[in-house]
Amino acid sequence: MPYPGQPKDTPIPAKLDRWNWGAFLLNWIWGLGNSTYIALLMFVPFVNFILIFILGAKGSKWAWKNRIWEDEAHFIRTQRNWAKAGIFFIFAIIALTFALIFGIFSLMKSSDAYKMTMAEIRKNTEVIEMLGEPIEAGWFVTGQLKIGQNGKGSANYSIPISGPKGNGKAISVVVKTNNVWQIKNLTVQFENSNKIIKIIGKKETAHLKKDNAPLLVADLNYSREFISRKYP
């Protein structure tokens, strides 16, 4: 609604009818502050994605119509403050997100399970031969860290590692029992190479099949000999 002394249906001046960043960034909050309650449709799934752009384009016109303004300067000042608040809000969300990610990574990398994993990697001669020394861990560590009651817990890590000779990725499974961490499985894969080093864990299935092959042949020969004796 225009400022006092003007008709209610006075259209918004052309110089004020522009993109409204406050409406775009703060949507339903801006709507409550500017008596533009259509902004509450932001809580409707799928509609909200389109509505933020409509609010940005139509927000100034709706705010002019739905509130009483002292003058044009009052309208401009108010909408500018909403835009500043929206920008501050977005930067605050980004900062909190980065702080949360940093906190999660720091927690994972400060655990005993992570430190044990890196210690095993750094002392393995095969890994040293492939990557060189020193072996460093990348920042973007993914996985899970669970600390339960009664001294139990578990951790799964995917750790990017690098050295003077190349890069790789370590995958580990660590279990905590009676307050003691133990690595159950630790494998290192290398970039630009098909080689996989199993530092801790069971032998690969392919190796087991190869080792068992002579036993299978022996069993087959024994079966043939038994049949030939029973049925000459």
Side-chain angles (χ1 to χ4, degrees):
M1 185 179 299
Y3 44 87
Q6 287 189 322
K8 293 183 179 181
D9 57 350
T10 300
I12 183 173
K15 63 180 180 180
L16 303 183
D17 189 11
R18 54 193 178 187
W19 182 268
N20 194 308
W21 284 106
F24 177 75
L25 296 174
L26 294 177
N27 41 79
W28 68 271
I29 302 175
W30 173 92
L32 292 176
N34 288 272
S35 301
T36 306
Y37 301 113
I38 192 175
L40 295 177
L41 290 176
M42 285 297 301
F43 293 103
V44 179
F46 303 109
V47 174
N48 48 16
F49 179 76
I50 300 174
L51 186 61
I52 57 174
F53 296 99
I54 297 176
L55 287 171
K58 299 289 186 179
S60 295
K61 184 179 293 185
W62 288 341
W64 174 265
K65 177 182 178 181
N66 295 331
R67 277 191 57 182
I68 297 176
W69 306 98
E70 297 174 1
D71 49 30
E72 292 183 5
H74 178 217
F75 177 86
I76 293 173
R77 184 171 61 253
T78 301
Q79 298 309 313
R80 186 174 294 162
N81 288 338
W82 277 107
K84 291 178 180 178
I87 294 172
F88 175 81
F89 177 76
I90 295 300
F91 275 104
I93 292 295
I94 294 174
L96 288 174
T97 301
F98 275 103
L100 179 62
I101 294 174
F102 178 82
I104 292 174
F105 286 160
S106 297
L107 177 63
M108 293 180 68
K109 297 181 76 170
S110 64
S111 69
D112 291 336
Y114 173 85
K115 294 176 181 178
M116 287 178 61
T117 298
M118 289 305 303
E120 290 293 335
I121 293 171
R122 287 177 172 138
K123 72 181 183 181
N124 186 272
T125 55
E126 291 184 90
V127 177
I128 294 173
E129 182 180 352
M130 292 293 295
L131 298 181
E133 290 185 299
I135 297 174
E136 301 293 342
W139 178 249
F140 197 72
V141 177
T142 59
Q144 291 182 332
L145 175 63
K146 297 180 180 179
I147 306 296
Q149 298 178 347
N150 301 322
K152 296 182 179 180
S154 63
N156 301 306
Y157 290 117
S158 177
I159 308 171
I161 56 177
S162 62
K165 297 181 180 180
N167 302 317
K169 180 175 67 174
I171 299 175
S172 68
V173 177
V174 192
V175 176
K176 185 179 184 181
T177 306
N178 296 326
N179 290 318
V180 178
W181 286 101
Q182 182 179 8
I183 300 176
K184 295 295 185 180
N185 198 313
L186 177 55
T187 303
V188 177
Q189 304 171 354
F190 302 94
E191 290 185 4
N192 304 321
S193 174
N194 294 326
K195 185 173 183 178
I196 298 176
I197 297 176
K198 179 81 73 172
I199 299 177
I200 297 175
K202 296 180 180 179
K203 295 182 179 180
E204 295 182 6
T205 304
H207 292 170
L208 292 175
K209 288 182 178 179
K210 184 177 180 180
D211 293 341
N212 289 338
L215 296 177
L216 294 174
V217 173
D219 290 343
L220 181 59
N221 290 336
Y222 174 80
S223 299
R224 288 176 178 173
E225 183 179 356
F226 175 79
I227 293 172
S228 63
R229 289 180 179 178
K230 189 172 183 179
Y231 305 100

